[in-house]
Amino acid sequence: DQQVKQNSPSLSVQEGRISILNCDYTNSMFDYFLWYKKYPAEGPTFLISISSIKDKNEDGRFTVFLNKSAKHLSLHIVPSQPGDSAVYFCAATSSGSARQLTFGSGTQLTVLP
Amino acid sequence: EADIYQTPRYLVIGTGKKITLECSQTMGHDKMYWYQQDPGMELHLIHYSYGVNSTEKGDLSSESTVSRIRTEHFPLTLESARPSHTSQYLCASSEGSYSNQPQHFGDGTRLSIL
């Protein structure tokens, strides 16, 4: 039973436009969410996170939105750049799980020049 | 930049061999983790450690074993490799017992068992 779901395996966006990556979760105990970016042949790199006490966190071109009632979060990248092309993983954790991460299956983002 | 290293990066080996995947970090992190990932799938936690002489199994059952004799070193061993062990293995570390510190990942070992 997948507790963190990324239903779009891939997304293509034109350079300069907005990229929106979505993530849904089922476990209401999750209280902290993270996004990781992964290039081929490299390990995932931490991108941005959000606590459940917030509904938005921004870091430069990256913004994460959290809708707790819908158990949904999204990552917005504005403007998108070709270097953003990578696989993006959503992850979630709860204090009750000793902060272990549960990952989604990832979304391949391709930013077209 | 996180300093966590995995060797080898790629390994192709025959069935029945004993394999040790190495993971070292220079950040002094107490927490270390091993994940297994198949192409297009989520990362699954197979082992974790919260400090020296502490190891626990993760959510995904694995025939591998781990040890944590030194803070910086968290090797993973397969006593007898099988084709079903073919996968990518990712090591990670993080600091803090109660803070929401993100995990830092190594570049992984891609393992193929013939």
Side-chain angles (χ1 to χ4, degrees):
Chain A
D1 179 31
Q2 214 173 342
Q3 298 186 63
V4 177
K5 298 180 182 179
Q6 294 177 257
N7 292 318
S8 298
S10 62
L11 174 69
S12 291
V13 171
Q14 208 67 35
E15 180 179 5
R17 307 294 288 268
I18 183 171
S19 296
I20 300 176
L21 297 102
N22 294 303
C23 178
D24 296 296
Y25 62 96
T26 57
N27 189 338
S28 57
M29 299 302 293
F30 287 147
D31 59 5
Y32 192 68
F33 305 88
L34 306 91
W35 283 94
Y36 282 82
K37 179 171 71 173
K38 186 180 184 299
Y39 292 118
E42 294 183 12
T45 302
F46 169 70
L47 195 56
I48 193 169
S49 62
I50 187 167
S51 165
S52 59
I53 62 173
K54 294 185 176 182
D55 55 16
K56 176 183 175 181
N57 189 27
E58 192 172 352
D59 184 1
R61 297 186 297 114
F62 303 91
T63 303
V64 56
F65 295 92
L66 175 63
N67 182 334
K68 289 189 293 292
S69 61
K71 294 190 176 66
H72 176 84
L73 65 156
S74 60
L75 174 68
H76 293 211
I77 306 173
V78 180
S80 301
Q81 299 172 355
D84 295 330
S85 297
V87 177
Y88 288 80
F89 289 96
C90 170
T93 184
S94 66
S95 56
S97 71
R99 291 299 170 200
Q100 294 176 29
L101 293 178
T102 299
F103 283 85
S105 55
T107 296
Q108 171 71 57
L109 173 66
T110 302
V111 180
L112 305 168
Chain B
E1 189 73 25
D3 294 319
I4 181 164
Y5 307 100
Q6 291 187 243
T7 57
R9 291 293 311 278
Y10 304 92
L11 180 62
V12 180
I13 200 164
T15 299
K17 301 291 186 182
K18 180 178 179 178
I19 300 167
T20 297
L21 307 184
E22 300 289 348
C23 176
S24 295
Q25 51 96 3
T26 59
M27 298 166 285
H29 288 171
D30 286 327
K31 294 180 172 179
M32 295 189 74
Y33 312 83
W34 276 103
Y35 291 87
Q36 185 174 341
Q37 187 199 13
D38 293 322
M41 303 296 287
E42 60 268 38
L43 282 71
H44 287 289
L45 182 68
I46 51 175
H47 298 284
Y48 62 97
S49 167
Y50 285 169
V52 171
N53 295 325
S54 152
T55 61
E56 300 287 345
K57 289 188 178 295
D59 298 330
L60 182 68
S61 175
S62 174
E63 294 169 346
S64 59
T65 59
V66 292
S67 63
R68 190 87 183 277
I69 299 172
R70 304 197 316 265
T71 298
E72 63 271 21
H73 195 214
F74 192 39
L76 180 145
T77 299
L78 281 162
E79 289 294 332
S80 179
R82 295 208 303 262
S84 60
H85 297 142
T86 294
S87 189
Q88 182 175 41
Y89 293 83
L90 291 157
C91 180
S93 71
S94 67
E95 62 177 325
S97 299
Y98 303 102
S99 61
N100 291 322
Q101 294 297 319
Q103 295 178 18
H104 301 278
F105 284 83
D107 286 337
T109 294
R110 190 166 294 281
L111 179 63
S112 295
I113 310 299
L114 305 177

